[in-house]
Amino acid sequence: MNVFECTGSGSGDERVVNVETVAFIARYYPLKSTTPLCSKAEWERIGPFVRDTVSRLSHLAPLGVRSYLTAMTRLAAWAEREGHQLDRETLLSSRVVEFYVSTLTSSQKDYRSYLRRLARAWGIEVAPTTKSYERSEYQPPYSLEEVTAFLMFAAAMSNQLRRERLSAVVLLGAGAGIVRGELRDIDRDAIHEHDEVLHVAAAGRCVPVRQELQEAMANFVSSCSTDGPFLGGKPGSNITAAVGSWVEDRAGLANFSGDRFRAYFVCAHLREGTGLLEMMNLSGFAHPDSFGPYLNMCDRPPAGCDRTKAGS
């Protein structure tokens, strides 16, 4: 039986594909593995993107594409948790691949080669040498005063939908470290109490809301009229973009960035000395290296000993 087909429009873009591989990619479901690569909700959002990206290698044998599917699933899940859009040219760029690989264990470093081959298959330029991810893309955290200013502005908005959505972005980001990719799943049921402390359930973790924002979160939940998720949006879209446009160039407000609310949450905990393992649970980071850019934004506490030598 001939398992190969030729696809294309007849204008020179024909590709020979293995129909068994096409079927294998269509059936691929990473939640069946012993250690699921992502949650069911995440796969519903990233699955079409992963399958479409790996389909460029459908000329390979079915088992030959499994490693590419695994690597691409991990990359897409990581990207969404970090709040990045599912843009193929961006995610498969050498800069992003190298940064992502730097967060993996030594046994997972071979994902680099699979991702680089995928990039070449899509005609994406692959750097001959590795490049580090520019830390300038990590924006500094807002101050508490800036966070409060956004909340006060939201409270004064006459449009109820905009008022609630802006409040949700601020409180979920600064109060619980929720990233953009998780926002679309958060609803009223996700906010609950443990020992009279409000927590937010998101992506396999339960995060206590920052103490300084507990009252604001309680007021938001009690007054919110939304029945479903606080924020919607199509998979892969930047769901904070519209919210940011509502506060653009407003007097008394800092430039809007959803990432800076999360940075506030992460840096506040780092400054308070929250332990590494607890920080990984709170933030959802898979590797301690992810804290590097945030640590650079935090001043070290004084040594507390007058015998400490400078520079030691």
Side-chain angles (χ1 to χ4, degrees), residues 97-98 101 108-116 130:
V97 168
E98 291 304 321
V101 170
Q108 298 171 325
K109 297 295 184 182
D110 57 348
Y111 290 150
R112 175 194 283 113
S113 61
Y114 294 114
L115 295 171
R116 286 168 67 88
T130 61

Side-chain angles (χ1 to χ4, degrees), residues 87-151:
D87 178 80
R88 188 178 292 115
E89 290 201 8
T90 299
L91 293 189
L92 289 178
S93 67
S94 296
R95 180 172 56 87
V96 173
V97 168
E98 291 304 321
F99 177 75
Y100 166 66
V101 170
S102 74
T103 70
L104 303 177
T105 63
S106 58
S107 63
Q108 298 171 325
K109 297 295 184 182
D110 57 348
Y111 290 150
R112 175 194 283 113
S113 61
Y114 294 114
L115 295 171
R116 286 168 67 88
R117 289 170 193 159
L118 266 175
R120 292 191 185 97
W122 280 98
I124 299 171
E125 184 177 357
V126 176
T129 56
T130 61
K131 295 181 179 180
S132 61
Y133 195 75
E134 290 91 341
R135 288 185 172 178
S136 60
E137 294 198 3
Y138 283 80
Q139 300 185 61
Y142 288 123
S143 65
L144 179 57
E145 291 73 20
E146 290 172 325
V147 171
T148 302
F150 278 111
L151 290 174

Side-chain angles (χ1 to χ4, degrees), residues 6-61:
C6 184
T7 65
S9 61
S11 59
D13 64 344
E14 292 84 358
R15 290 184 294 122
V16 176
V17 301
N18 185 326
V19 294
E20 293 181 352
T21 301
V22 173
F24 180 84
I25 293 173
R27 293 193 306 269
Y28 175 71
Y29 190 60
L31 274 70
K32 292 181 179 179
S33 60
T34 305
T35 305
L37 305 181
C38 59
S39 68
K40 181 179 180 180
E42 286 175 326
W43 180 243
E44 290 177 353
R45 295 192 293 268
I46 69 175
F49 174 78
V50 170
R51 290 187 177 116
D52 182 59
T53 300
V54 180
S55 68
R56 185 55 65 100
L57 301 177
S58 55
H59 59 283
L60 301 177

Side-chain angles (χ1 to χ4, degrees), residues 60 69 93 154 206 216 280 291 294 296 311:
L60 301 177
L69 286 163
S93 67
C206 182
M280 292 180 71
F291 292 107
Y294 296 99
N296 288 338

Side-chain angles (χ1 to χ4, degrees), residues 5 8 40 43 62 75 86 122 124 140 245 281:
E5 289 183 354
K40 181 179 180 180
W43 180 243
L75 174 64
L86 297 182
W122 280 98
I124 299 171
S245 69
N281 285 333

Side-chain angles (χ1 to χ4, degrees), residues 267 270-273 292 294-304 308-309 311-312:
C267 290
L270 290 174
R271 293 187 184 107
E272 292 170 358
Y294 296 99
L295 286 168
N296 288 338
M297 302 174 191
C298 302
D299 295 329
R300 292 189 180 186
T308 301
K309 294 181 180 180
S312 62

